[in-house]
């Protein structure tokens, strides 16, 4: 087994272009680039939901071990952590993070050979690309380490269950992935940015995202005598309409606090006032301080509106994730790394989105940043978006992500 690992490790050195012209080492060779594209396509064909990523975990572990590395499966049974180089116990490491889970939606692509083979499961958020870029960076950095070209140890984090609130980052942190880490970086696919480019932003780049479930109860009865009932249809309708409007007047508009309902269910017959109604939705917020106050504000608004209609409430407010707040120094590192690899023209400013990302939990502990990784084929006008069954990427993004991560690791080690 050791000889097999040694041969695979030696072979991986041949897959890395050597430095030239004074630039940083760590550019992809053609053979490794082709291997990584094939690896991404394999993941895309076999998507697994959060905390069920056993095949994905095994595939990553196998490839890292063949490169002579020693990955450790996280305590929850899926996901891995792996160091490239030996941590000296003192120098803070840079961590590269990927999320490995897929979404519970069907893959509707019809014109690609790597369409999902699992019904109602798809890598429609680009986690297969995130995983492949961190894997590729780990393989390149391992080759550089054997050549004495890696200044400091680098940690690879392959995290499960990003799509499951409050996010697999919480379990990963509890498994010790941040021990010895001084900074953590990540990328997220962005179908609005051309492949070959990245988007950067200092400060908040995503929003907070919580889940809200509300039950309304009261005596039902005949629609001929609504005065003898708690009219839960009307009560639910008023909660659905009035609570978001109330919240908009009780927080600073700049905080971007938005309650959006995704489900309202009540009643079974046209002549029966029901006894029970349910609503569920999400609460999103651009501002960290407002996010911390959101549960109390939402509870009060729901009770106030429901109380006007004599409906009893049970509110389940599920904390999700805070905003991802990019550290300025970490953005500077990503900027320098991309400039080194592709030039400053390949960097664009990006806006804060209302999407949630559990990468934020790492940034509650250590500084770091997330970049938008362009995946749109230049000139493409299809308007693809995340969390849709037809989502796909320009696979040039894999090369960009790997080289961005490797450059960042080398520059961080020299600082």
């Amino acid at each position: 087994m050791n000889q097999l690992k040694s041969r695979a490790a030696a072979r991986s050195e041949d897959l890395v272009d050597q430095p030239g012209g004074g630039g940083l080492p760590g550019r992809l060779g053609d053979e490794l680039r082709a291997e990584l594209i094939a690896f991404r396509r394999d993941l895309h064909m076999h998507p697994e939901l959060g905390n069920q990523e056993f095949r994905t975990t095994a595939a990553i572990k196998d490839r890292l071990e063949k490169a002579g590395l020693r990955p450790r499966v996280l305590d929850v049974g899926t996901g891995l952590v792996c160091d490239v180089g030996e941590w000296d116990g003192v120098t803070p490491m840079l961590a590269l993070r990927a999320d490995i889970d897929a979404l519970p939606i069907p893959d509707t692509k019809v014109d690609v050979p790597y369409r999902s083979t699992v019904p109602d499961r798809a890598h429609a958020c680009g986690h297969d690309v995130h995983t492949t870029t961190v894997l590729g960076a780990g393989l390149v950095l391992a080759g550089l380490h054997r050549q004495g070209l890696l200044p400091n140890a680098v940690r690879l984090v392959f995290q499960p269950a990003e799509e499951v609130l409050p996010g697999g980052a919480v379990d990963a942190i509890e498994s010790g992935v941040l021990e010895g880490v001084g900074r953590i970086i990540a990328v997220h696919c962005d179908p609005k940015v051309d492949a070959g480019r990245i988007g950067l932003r200092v400060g908040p780049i995503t929003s907070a995202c919580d889940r809200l479930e509300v039950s309304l109860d009261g005596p039902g009865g005949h629609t001929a005598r609504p005065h003898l009932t708690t009219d839960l249809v009307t009560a639910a309708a008023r909660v659905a309409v009035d609570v978001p409007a109330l919240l908009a007047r009780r927080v600073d508009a700049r905080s971007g606090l938005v309650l959006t309902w995704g489900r309202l269910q009540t009643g079974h017959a046209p002549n029966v006032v029901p006894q029970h109604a349910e609503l569920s939705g999400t609460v999103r917020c651009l501002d960290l301080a407002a996010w911390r106050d959101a549960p109390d504000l939402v509870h009060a608004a729901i009770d106030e509106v429901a109380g006007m209609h004599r409906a009893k409430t049970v509110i389940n407010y599920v904390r999700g994730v805070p905003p991802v707040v990019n550290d300025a120094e970490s953005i500077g590192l990503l900027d320098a790394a991309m400039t080194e690899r592709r030039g400053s023209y390949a960097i664009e400013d990006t806006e804060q989105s209302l999407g949630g990302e559990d990468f934020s939990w790492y940034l509650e502990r250590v500084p770091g940043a997330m970049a938008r990784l362009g995946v749109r084929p230049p000139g493409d006008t299809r308007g693809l978006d995340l969390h849709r069954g037809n989502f796909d990427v320009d696979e040039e993004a894999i090369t960009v992500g790997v080289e961005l991560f490797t450059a960042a690791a080398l520059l961080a080690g020299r600082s």
Side-chain angles (χ1 to χ4, degrees):
M1 177 64 75
N2 289 335
Q3 289 179 343
L4 174 62
K5 291 181 180 179
S6 178
R7 289 197 299 272
R11 176 175 169 272
S12 72
E13 293 180 7
D14 297 332
L15 304 181
V16 182
D17 287 349
Q18 298 304 304
L24 289 176
R27 293 188 180 275
L28 282 183
D30 290 341
E31 191 172 351
L32 181 54
R33 181 182 294 108
E35 180 191 349
L36 293 176
I37 289 173
F39 189 90
R40 177 258 167 175
R41 292 184 176 189
D42 179 72
L43 294 186
H44 201 85
M45 293 173 66
H46 301 92
E48 297 174 299
L49 299 184
N51 295 316
Q52 301 173 24
E53 313 95 332
F54 298 105
R55 183 186 185 278
T56 303
T57 297
I60 300 166
K61 183 173 183 288
D62 178 67
R63 187 59 184 94
L64 292 172
E65 288 178 340
K66 286 178 178 177
L69 299 172
R70 298 191 300 272
R72 173 176 67 85
V73 176
L74 301 183
D75 296 343
V76 292
T78 61
L80 309 96
V81 60
C82 181
D83 290 350
V84 181
E86 296 295 330
W87 181 43
D88 61 13
V90 177
T91 308
M93 286 183 287
L94 176 71
L96 313 178
R97 175 268 197 172
D99 38 10
I100 67 174
D101 57 323
L103 286 162
I105 64 176
D107 188 338
T108 60
K109 296 187 294 297
V110 296
D111 56 350
V112 297
Y114 48 84
R115 180 182 177 184
S116 172
T117 61
V118 184
D120 299 321
R121 303 286 186 269
H123 269 295
C125 199
H127 294 188
D128 53 337
V129 174
H130 306 165
T131 300
T132 304
T133 58
V134 172
L135 173 65
L139 297 177
V140 172
L141 292 171
L144 295 178
H145 174 63
R146 285 186 291 274
Q147 299 172 61
L149 297 175
L150 184 64
N152 291 325
V154 176
R155 176 159 295 166
L156 314 177
V157 178
F158 298 92
Q159 174 217 300
E162 188 275 330
E163 299 286 355
V164 181
L165 291 179
V170 175
D171 292 325
I173 292 169
E174 290 179 356
S175 290
V177 302
L178 290 182
E179 181 183 351
V181 169
R183 189 177 308 280
I184 187 167
I185 58 175
V187 295
H188 198 295
C189 290
D190 191 337
K192 299 185 297 297
V193 177
D194 282 350
R197 302 174 64 84
I198 63 169
L200 297 179
R201 176 187 175 90
V202 175
I205 192 172
T206 69
S207 81
C209 180
D210 300 333
R211 187 173 73 244
L212 178 64
E213 299 167 346
V214 181
S215 294
L216 303 177
D217 291 282
H222 202 295
T223 55
R225 292 176 288 279
H227 60 289
L228 301 179
T229 73
T230 293
D231 186 353
L232 286 183
V233 174
T234 298
R238 298 318 311 178
V239 168
V241 173
D242 292 348
V243 171
L246 271 179
L247 292 173
R249 293 295 179 265
R250 294 184 177 178
V251 296
D252 190 325
R254 292 170 296 181
S255 71
L257 182 66
V258 177
L259 166 58
T260 304
W261 302 107
R263 184 178 72 94
L264 192 163
Q265 184 173 341
T266 187
H268 300 283
N271 61 343
V272 177
V273 175
Q275 301 179 57
H276 182 74
E278 295 180 354
L279 303 92
S280 57
T282 60
V283 179
R284 298 178 186 271
C285 185
L286 300 176
D287 179 72
L288 186 59
W291 177 71
R292 299 194 192 284
D293 294 336
D296 291 340
L297 289 168
V298 171
H299 271 261
I302 291 172
D303 285 340
E304 183 175 330
V305 173
M308 293 173 59
H309 298 273
R310 298 178 297 171
K312 296 181 180 179
T313 62
V314 176
I315 301 171
N316 182 26
Y317 193 106
V318 182
R319 267 307 200 190
V321 294
V324 171
V325 182
N326 284 341
D327 165 67
E329 188 173 342
S330 301
I331 287 294
L333 175 63
L334 289 166
D335 188 298
M338 192 63 175
T339 300
E340 173 70 31
R341 293 301 195 202
R342 300 268 169 153
S344 59
Y345 71 90
I347 302 168
E348 60 185 65
D349 294 333
T350 192
E351 61 187 13
Q352 184 179 6
S353 84
L354 278 169
E357 235 290 349
D358 75 350
F359 185 69
S360 54
W361 291 123
Y362 299 107
L363 303 189
E364 296 274 295
R365 307 290 188 93
V366 298
M370 171 173 281
R372 305 282 189 202
L373 179 66
V375 298
R376 179 177 61 193
D380 189 283
T381 59
R382 289 175 294 171
L384 299 182
D385 201 2
L386 303 172
H387 289 220
R388 290 183 180 175
N390 65 343
F391 175 75
D392 204 357
V393 305
D394 184 328
E395 291 171 325
E396 171 65 12
I398 295 171
T399 298
V400 176
V402 170
E403 294 188 352
L404 175 70
F405 280 141
T406 55
L410 294 170
L411 291 173
R414 295 178 181 181
S415 62

